[in-house]
Each structure stands twice: as structure tokens, then as C-alpha cells.
């Protein structure tokens, strides 16, 4: 009986390191972004975010604002954001077409995932006097 329990315990201990890697980083999926893909936004925004279906490593992940293929700003996500969300404040942007790109490191540190969405900033309309 003791030998059987030790055998079961041994199998359980050997399996423990395998269980967390069963959910691989390539299974990480984007659930929501702000702005949404192909959205038109005002020049001033409260911030940008990418929400995933599970927690990500905020310290080793980045967001980038690109225009015409050039990096305009590299944003470092706030550490106090929700565990599954990369969030960063963004200063006002000039009117035009942009890309929000992300490089996300999974919590296991094994995989890095990249993605992007396109968005545009609307020109401010002046009000007639």
C-alpha cells in the first residue's frame, strides 16, 4: 500500500512541470483592442490597450505606434493594468494613418507573440464662429 502511494506521488510530481507548459504561448489570443482594428479616433485618447485571453508578462512586453512603417513611439505597458491586458497612455497624435503593434511575452517566458492593428486619427474640425 505504501509503495503504491509513493508510486502515485512520484507520477504526480513528475507530471507537475509538464502541466503549466500544456497551455503554450502560441495559444495566446487577442480578445479586444483599443482602438479597434481600422477604427478612426480623435487625436487625444485616454490610452491604448490590447487584451488577451490569459495573463501576459507586462515587464517584457511592449506596444508601438507606427506611421508609414516607422516607429513613432515605443510604449511600455503599465504594470498595474489587469494581468491579461497591455495598457499604455498615449500623447495626442497628428491626424493620419497609424498602426498599433505589440510584442508580448507569455508568462512562461518561452514564446514571444507579435501582432498589430491599423487605425487612423481624425483631423480636428474647427467650429465656425
Amino acid at each position: 500500500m505504501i509503495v503504491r502511494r509513493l508510486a502515485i506521488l512520484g507520477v504526480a510530481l513528475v507530471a507537475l512541470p509538464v502541466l503549466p507548459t500544456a497551455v503554450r504561448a502560441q495559444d495566446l489570443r487577442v480578445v479586444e483592442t483599443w482602438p479597434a482594428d481600422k477604427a478612426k479616433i480623435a487625436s487625444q485618447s485616454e490610452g491604448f490597450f490590447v487584451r488577451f485571453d490569459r495573463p501576459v508578462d507586462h515587464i517584457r512586453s511592449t506596444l508601438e505606434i507606427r506611421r508609414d512603417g516607422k516607429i513613432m513611439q515605443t510604449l511600455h505597458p503599465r504594470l498595474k493594468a489587469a494581468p491579461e491586458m497591455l495598457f499604455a497612455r498615449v500623447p495626442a497624435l497628428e491626424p493620419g494613418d497609424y498602426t498599433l503593434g505589440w510584442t508580448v511575452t507569455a508568462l512562461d517566458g518561452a514564446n514571444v507573440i507579435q501582432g498589430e492593428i491599423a487605425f487612423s486619427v481624425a483631423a480636428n474640425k474647427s467650429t465656425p464662429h
Side-chain angles (χ1 to χ4, degrees), residues 1-9:
M1 186 72 153
I2 291 176
V3 172
R4 184 175 178 198
R5 286 184 184 170
L6 288 175
I8 292 171
L9 180 61

Side-chain angles (χ1 to χ4, degrees), residues 24-104:
R24 296 274 183 209
Q26 62 265 24
D27 296 331
L28 190 67
R29 288 181 298 221
V30 174
V31 174
E32 178 183 18
T33 66
W34 173 255
D37 191 25
K38 299 181 179 77
K40 184 173 271 195
I41 65 169
S43 65
Q44 187 61 43
S45 173
E46 291 295 315
F48 289 1
F49 72 82
V50 181
R51 183 185 312 272
F52 298 89
D53 65 343
R54 66 179 53 92
V56 296
D57 185 338
H58 291 82
I59 295 171
R60 293 185 284 171
S61 299
T62 59
L63 297 168
E64 292 177 344
I65 305 293
R66 298 186 210 117
R67 187 171 188 183
D68 299 324
K70 297 178 184 173
I71 297 172
M72 304 298 292
Q73 297 177 36
T74 298
L75 309 169
H76 299 282
R78 291 185 172 231
L79 299 178
K80 292 186 179 182
E84 73 284 353
M85 179 188 295
L86 297 182
F87 173 84
R89 296 250 182 237
V90 179
L93 297 170
E94 295 292 321
D97 295 328
Y98 293 87
T99 301
L100 171 65
W102 55 87
T103 301
V104 180

Side-chain angles (χ1 to χ4, degrees), residues 8-22:
I8 292 171
L9 180 61
V11 169
L13 289 175
V14 168
L16 279 178
V18 175
L19 293 177
T21 59

